[in-house]
Amino acid sequence: MNAEAKETFINRSKIISEVRRFLDDKGFMEVETPMLVHNAGGAAARPFETHYNSLDEDVKLRISLELYLKRLIVGGLEKVYEIGRVFRNEGLDTRHNPEFTLMELYQAYTDYNGMMDLTEEMFRYIAEKVCGSTKISYKGQEMDLGKPFERITMVDAVKKYANVDWNEVETLEQAQALAKEHHVEFEPHHKKGDILSLFFEEFVEEHLIQPTFVMDHPIEISPLTKKKPDNPEYVERFEFFMNGWEMANAYSELNDPIDQRERFKAQEELLAAGDEEANTTDEDFLHALEIGMPPTGGIGYGIDRMVMLFTDSEAIRDVLLFPTLKSLD
């Protein structure tokens, strides 16, 4: 009944339609993958769990679309995407809802550089089609999608905004000492790369208003990503930021099954140490990698956050027709 809300949801539909049109014109194929899974991998999040009576098995609701879409790349579909609901058993706030719409796409024979080019082109295209301009405004803050998007490494970003040079941090003890000095809270199981990520969250994110790709994340927080050949402590991964928000997360996908098994093993150790968001070993996915996955670039976009940005909406509940609400009881 509210005209402004109605306009928001008309624009939400337009945004998703234009995303589909953009990808279809690029030769991508839209697919659907399972929501009920035995292994909820592909992201760091707690899953919802349920029981499948017919098979008398416990299953989980997916937290990501990644591992099944990669199976399709192994199967010979070279450009695939899915727009679908995912479910994460975590908090509610202005940018998070426990069920939300995620889009992931995977393309064979490219890497994270190709994903940056695709993202820049797609966001510019959507702005023009939905907003009529490459300049958009969110709560009075103008963002220019017409200019080339900034590209910066996570290490350089932390150096720029926190005045801490991570290239000089050689040991976990040094990282912990820096964290204490800068009042950055960390957990006992956090390694050097985890603490770098915490510095980034604490000191950098809020400054990334204009479109920015933050590249080359530490390996500790990237269990499904290909290592940088010249520096194996880091991986070929970026997160895309606008308005201080993470808008997308992308990798050069790890396609070495031996390396992937080691990464899963490290995640299992984190799980045993109390990290409830750690991944678990997915033997079926490892088998797919053993068959062979070509070099692949992949990316995930939060559709709801994208809609918030392009419709100047205050909170995620404003762009969901039926947001999660606490019951009156």
Side-chain angles (χ1 to χ4, degrees), residues 109-127:
Y109 308 109
T110 187
D111 60 10
Y112 75 147
N113 293 299
M115 293 296 103
M116 279 187 259
D117 295 340
L118 183 79
T119 299
E120 187 163 340
E121 188 179 347
M122 186 176 78
F123 268 74
R124 197 169 287 142
Y125 170 88
I126 294 167

Side-chain angles (χ1 to χ4, degrees), residues 1-10 321-322:
M1 301 297 290
N2 180 302
E4 193 176 314
K6 181 179 178 182
E7 184 66 23
T8 295
F9 288 104
I10 289 169
L321 284 166
F322 301 100

Side-chain angles (χ1 to χ4, degrees), residues 21-305:
R21 185 171 291 114
F22 176 84
L23 292 175
D24 292 347
D25 288 348
K26 293 278 185 189
F28 282 84
M29 183 172 115
E30 186 172 9
V31 297
E32 294 175 314
T33 61
M35 289 192 184
L36 291 172
V37 296
H38 288 99
N39 190 316
R46 288 177 63 188
F48 288 93
E49 299 182 12
T50 187
H51 186 75
Y52 192 1
N53 292 333
S54 180
L55 296 178
D56 191 25
E57 289 182 349
D58 290 332
V59 290
K60 300 176 177 71
L61 287 167
R62 66 186 181 186
I63 59 172
S64 166
L65 312 174
E66 179 166 350
L67 300 183
Y68 282 92
L69 290 174
K70 284 184 180 176
R71 287 165 168 83
L72 296 178
I73 295 286
V74 170
L77 299 178
E78 293 185 1
K79 288 184 172 183
V80 294
Y81 76 95
E82 180 174 7
I83 300 174
R85 292 294 240 201
V86 297
F87 310 87
R88 298 184 182 179
N89 199 349
E90 52 192 27
L92 283 159
D93 60 31
T94 55
R95 281 186 277 159
H96 295 90
N97 197 69
E99 57 174 307
F100 63 98
T101 303
L102 182 65
M103 181 180 81
E104 292 196 29
L105 64 85
Y106 292 84
Q107 179 179 344
Y109 308 109
T110 187
D111 60 10
Y112 75 147
N113 293 299
M115 293 296 103
M116 279 187 259
D117 295 340
L118 183 79
T119 299
E120 187 163 340
E121 188 179 347
M122 186 176 78
F123 268 74
R124 197 169 287 142
Y125 170 88
I126 294 167
E128 288 175 336
K129 290 292 184 180
V130 177
C131 305
S133 170
T134 56
K135 289 184 177 178
I136 67 169
S137 177
Y138 185 87
K139 305 304 169 200
Q141 175 70 59
E142 188 176 275
M143 286 159 274
D144 190 351
L145 290 150
K147 295 178 181 176
F149 295 3
E150 183 182 358
R151 302 184 182 195
I152 188 170
T153 67
M154 185 178 281
V155 168
D156 286 345
V158 167
K159 186 176 181 180
K160 179 178 179 180
Y161 292 106
N163 201 27
V164 174
D165 188 351
W166 217 257
N167 289 319
E168 297 176 357
V169 180
E170 296 179 357
T171 66
L172 174 58
E173 290 72 27
Q174 286 176 305
Q176 290 172 336
L178 277 169
K180 289 172 184 173
E181 181 185 331
H182 289 80
H183 308 291
V184 174
E185 293 184 11
F186 60 91
E187 302 289 334
H189 62 264
H190 281 153
K191 296 184 171 62
K192 189 173 82 166
D194 297 295
I195 296 173
L196 169 61
S197 179
L198 293 171
F199 266 83
F200 173 78
E201 291 171 9
E202 182 74 26
F203 295 107
V204 181
E205 285 189 7
E206 63 182 318
H207 298 288
L208 305 179
I209 304 301
Q210 297 303 319
T212 305
F213 295 115
V214 178
M215 305 150 39
D216 302 349
H217 294 215
I219 192 169
E220 291 91 340
I221 61 168
S222 312
L224 297 160
T225 316
K226 189 174 284 188
K227 294 174 186 173
K228 288 185 67 63
D230 57 340
N231 191 351
E233 286 189 16
Y234 296 90
V235 296
E236 294 187 353
R237 173 185 174 186
F238 73 81
E239 289 177 328
F240 172 50
F241 282 83
M242 284 182 67
N243 194 46
W245 302 348
E246 180 201 332
M247 303 297 296
N249 183 24
Y251 313 151
S252 297
E253 303 298 334
L254 178 57
N255 59 350
D256 178 343
I258 298 169
D259 190 354
Q260 184 62 80
R261 185 174 289 281
E262 287 300 312
R263 306 277 192 96
F264 276 144
K265 183 181 176 184
Q267 288 286 301
E268 294 275 9
E269 289 169 0
L270 288 175
L271 194 67
D275 184 353
E276 294 179 330
E277 295 186 347
N279 283 215
T280 55
T281 303
D282 188 330
E283 290 292 347
D284 186 62
F285 175 64
L286 286 169
H287 176 64
L289 288 187
E290 285 165 2
I291 292 168
M293 186 171 84
T296 298
I299 188 164
Y301 304 90
I303 293 293
D304 307 304
R305 207 171 284 182

